[in-house]
């Protein structure tokens, strides 16, 4: 099965700086890579995702990059704000057009703290 | 994206008892998933709940301990049976999002076994 590794486990940055979280995966069949943000005591929320036919995707201050050859993908948060403090999980799965319910393999999480 | 109502939100249970967690989705979904998240840990898939057939369990999880029901395309239950303190965790249901392929999660059930 798929194995997703995530680094670092904890990350502290000054407000306004950038934060980068990296994940690697093992299964070359994986083609969809979402990122989730989980605030304390709340459910994980999808914040951005990328499919394997795209190398980079950006949504305001958040971007994700994918290197299929190296099997790694990264989350980039620019101009960090205190409200970005949360645990971030990467995930990987292999999807097809007919089935939207494939199993997701989650990374171990990164606890991000943005220091005001 | 789908809206999921999960209950109870939390419970404190005596060891040896069972707790049933419910998830109701506001739209029909093919598959629902049940995850466990232990404190400070990542999400571990327990099983996939299939409508009209038995649930598919991941390694380390068995039907006798975590029976699942999926009576229709909008509802599922997970029962944590014969509980021990090691079962203390957050349990989350989730569904696939047809538009974005991402998961939507229920609000979670924080279970404490004493």
């Amino acid at each position: 099965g798929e194995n997703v590794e995530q680094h670092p486990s904890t990350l502290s940055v000054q407000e306004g700086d950038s934060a980068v979280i990296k994940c690697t995966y093992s299964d070359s069949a994986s083609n969809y890579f979402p990122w989730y943000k989980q605030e304390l005591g709340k459910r994980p929320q999808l914040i951005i995702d990328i499919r394997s036919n795209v190398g980079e995707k950006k949504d305001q201050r958040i971007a994700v990059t994918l290197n299929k050859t190296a099997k790694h993908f990264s989350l980039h948060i620019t101009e960090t704000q205190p409200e970005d403090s949360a645990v971030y999980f990467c995930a990987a799965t292999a999807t097809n057009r007919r089935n939207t319910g494939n199993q997701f393999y989650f990374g171990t999480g990164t606890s991000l703290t943005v220091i005001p | 994206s789908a809206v999921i109502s999960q209950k109870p939100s939390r419970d404190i249970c005596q060891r040896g008892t069972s707790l049933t967690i419910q998830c109701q989705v506001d739209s029909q979904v093919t598959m629902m998933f049940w995850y466990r998240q232990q404190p400070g840990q990542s999400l571990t898939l327990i099983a996939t709940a299939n409508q009209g057939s038995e649930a598919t369990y991941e390694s380390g999880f068995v039907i006798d301990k975590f029976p699942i029901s999926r009576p229709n395309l909008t509802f599922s239950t997970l029962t944590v049976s014969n509980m021990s303190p090691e079962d203390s965790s957050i349990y989350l249901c989730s569904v696939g999002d047809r538009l974005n392929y991402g998961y939507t999660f229920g609000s979670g059930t924080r279970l404490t076994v004493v």
Side-chain angles (χ1 to χ4, degrees), chain B residues 30-49:
Chain B
T30 304
M31 283 190 271
M32 296 177 70
F33 303 87
W34 287 97
Y35 280 85
R36 182 173 73 184
Q37 186 176 29
Q38 295 179 310
Q41 302 294 314
S42 188
L43 297 102
T44 301
L45 181 65
I46 298 172
T48 302

Side-chain angles (χ1 to χ4, degrees), chain B residues 33 35 42 49 55 58 63 65-66 79 82 91 93 104:
Chain B
F33 303 87
Y35 280 85
S42 188
E58 297 301 304
I63 187 171
K65 177 66 176 178
F66 298 100
T79 299
N82 189 25
Y91 293 85
C93 62
T104 299

Side-chain angles (χ1 to χ4, degrees), chain B residues 81-100:
Chain B
S81 303
N82 189 25
M83 290 184 285
S84 66
E86 293 71 36
D87 294 321
S88 297
S89 187
I90 297 172
Y91 293 85
L92 299 121
C93 62
S94 67
V95 302
D97 185 318
R98 181 169 294 277
L99 289 178
N100 296 315

Side-chain angles (χ1 to χ4, degrees), chain A:
Chain A
E2 175 66 277
N3 180 43
V4 179
E5 296 188 356
Q6 182 172 348
H7 301 280
S9 58
T10 60
L11 179 60
S12 292
V13 298
Q14 292 290 330
E15 183 177 359
D17 288 349
S18 296
V20 181
I21 303 171
K22 299 181 179 181
C23 287
T24 62
Y25 62 99
S26 61
D27 188 352
S28 57
S30 290
N31 59 1
Y32 175 69
F33 309 91
W35 285 88
Y36 290 84
K37 176 183 180 181
Q38 187 175 30
E39 296 175 343
L40 188 63
K42 297 188 177 180
R43 76 189 80 187
Q45 299 271 16
L46 178 69
I47 56 171
I48 196 168
D49 55 14
I50 191 167
R51 297 184 179 86
S52 59
N53 59 348
V54 177
E56 183 174 359
K57 182 177 179 180
K58 190 173 182 180
D59 182 4
Q60 299 183 337
R61 296 186 298 108
I62 296 174
V64 57
T65 59
L66 171 66
N67 183 326
K68 284 194 299 182
T69 302
K71 295 195 185 71
H72 66 71
F73 55 112
S74 301
L75 177 71
H76 304 254
I77 306 174
T78 59
E79 301 173 22
T80 54
Q81 302 168 1
E83 50 266 37
D84 295 328
S85 297
V87 178
Y88 292 81
F89 293 98
C90 62
T93 191
T95 67
N96 58 61
R97 292 184 180 276
R98 296 181 181 179
N99 185 348
T100 60
N102 288 326
Q103 177 181 343
F104 282 36
Y105 297 87
F106 286 88
T108 49
T110 296
S111 178
L112 172 64
T113 302
V114 180
I115 304 167

